[in-house]
Amino acid sequence: MSSSFEVSVSASVVFVLRNMLGATFFFYFVFYFIVPKVLLRGYIFLTLVCLMIPLLFWSIINYLFSLYAVVFLEIRDNGLREFLERVVNAGWADTFSPNHLLKIFLPVLMTIAPPVSLKLLLDIIRASTRTLRLERDNLNLEVDFLRSQLNPHFLFNTLNNIYSLSIRNDPMASDLIMHLSEMMRYTLYDSNTEKVPLHMEAEFLKNYVELESVRYGKNASIQFECDTEAMGEYQIAPLLMFPFVENAFKYSHSTTSNKCWIHASMEVTGDQLRFEISNSKGELPEGKNVPGGIGLSNTHKRLNLLYPDQHTLFIENNPEYYKVVLTLTLN
């Protein structure tokens, strides 16, 4: 009984070693040579040829381990011994024959399937995680750029307006300075987080609208309806809606219309935020182009990344006006 057990263990160890050695060579040869060096460079036919190498290796070690088992181990299982003797008696010629390689292909595939499947799954997860991380990092860089640029033309015009009002001792100058100060504090300090209180984002947009309204003067009808006290403790990604507001002022002011208009509203119902803004449009003066920016495309990406399946964005663009309606679920 003891002798039979020892022989059985020895044979088992031999075949386990054979499978481990064959699977290890197959695994590393495929994933660290064939895939990066051949397949990813577009050599399809050469890839199929290279796949024969691990099969040949498996066939060789199968012959050598079978020879060792027949010569040095006592195998009392008649069926197993006959199979091993058949492999040994076939010799090296059968070991390298195409017919034999095709015969062992399915058993080899079944042996290496678990580690290969695990490797592919891990690679897919790593690639997806890397892609999402790069996309998020790229968006963060774009948001930082958006935060830092706060349209130099806007700042220049606002300071000019404040200077003109201060010369006339207009009390509105102090209000503009306060609005500009609050905006700068928000962009430099308060918005440097993943989420900001919704009422702070709304106050930022209101300050921006107030400052732009002074520049437009009586030639524009500008409205922004928003009740910050009704927004509670909800939070939102910073500067998410600012590109839509900036875009409205940019294109409304750039047309040939004598009197432009911009109407915006922001309201919260339950956990749903609805932001709507529309602006007048017209033909651009001859020879004038409105520079584009990353703001709108960046906002699309941020919405898809930060609020997947939690937002709807409707954009209507026709010759008379441009309208944006954003609805999203707040956390």
Side-chain angles (χ1 to χ4, degrees), residues 160-180:
N160 270 343
N161 291 331
I162 293 174
Y163 175 73
S164 300
L165 293 173
S166 64
I167 290 179
R168 302 198 303 266
N169 292 323
D170 194 317
M172 187 180 292
S174 60
D175 292 335
L176 293 184
I177 293 175
M178 182 188 68
H179 290 315
L180 182 60

Side-chain angles (χ1 to χ4, degrees), residues 43-238:
Y43 303 120
I44 305 299
F45 178 75
L46 185 58
T47 299
L48 296 176
V49 173
C50 288
L51 283 174
M52 300 301 295
I53 296 176
L55 283 177
L56 282 171
F57 179 80
W58 196 292
S59 182
I60 292 171
I61 64 171
N62 180 63
Y63 175 79
L64 293 176
F65 275 82
S66 298
L67 180 63
Y68 177 85
V70 170
V71 174
F72 295 102
L73 298 180
E74 182 181 354
I75 301 176
R76 297 182 179 180
D77 186 305
N78 294 329
L80 177 59
R81 185 169 187 83
E82 289 177 3
F83 170 77
L84 296 176
E85 289 177 348
R86 191 162 56 248
V87 172
V88 172
N89 293 334
W92 289 106
D94 185 67
T95 299
F96 292 104
S97 69
N99 183 51
H100 178 69
L101 294 178
L102 291 175
K103 191 185 303 181
I104 68 170
F105 175 76
L106 188 58
V108 170
L109 186 63
M110 293 176 64
T111 303
I112 66 168
V116 168
S117 300
L118 181 60
K119 168 67 175 174
L120 290 174
L121 180 61
L122 291 175
D123 284 348
I124 292 172
I125 293 175
R126 289 195 190 101
S128 300
T129 303
R130 189 182 304 114
T131 300
L132 288 174
R133 187 185 301 115
L134 290 174
E135 186 175 357
R136 183 181 292 272
D137 290 344
N138 182 54
L139 285 175
N140 288 336
L141 289 175
E142 291 177 349
V143 173
D144 289 339
F145 173 74
L146 181 65
R147 184 185 292 116
S148 63
Q149 71 167 356
L150 234 205
N151 206 322
H153 297 292
F154 160 75
L155 293 176
F156 178 75
N157 290 328
T158 300
L159 291 174
N160 270 343
N161 291 331
I162 293 174
Y163 175 73
S164 300
L165 293 173
S166 64
I167 290 179
R168 302 198 303 266
N169 292 323
D170 194 317
M172 187 180 292
S174 60
D175 292 335
L176 293 184
I177 293 175
M178 182 188 68
H179 290 315
L180 182 60
S181 174
E182 290 178 351
M183 286 186 64
M184 298 304 295
R185 182 175 64 249
Y186 180 79
T187 56
L188 291 174
Y189 304 110
D190 298 335
S191 62
N192 288 323
T193 57
E194 290 187 3
K195 294 288 180 69
V196 296
L198 181 59
H199 66 85
M200 292 181 64
E201 180 79 1
E203 287 291 349
F204 168 78
L205 296 178
K206 287 177 67 175
N207 288 327
Y208 182 84
V209 171
E210 288 289 340
L211 292 173
E212 286 283 30
S213 298
V214 174
R215 181 161 67 94
Y216 277 61
K218 297 180 180 180
N219 292 326
S221 171
I222 301 176
Q223 301 175 7
F224 184 44
E225 300 175 1
C226 177
D227 183 6
T228 56
E229 295 181 358
M231 295 182 176
E233 300 297 323
Y234 287 114
Q235 294 191 329
I236 194 171

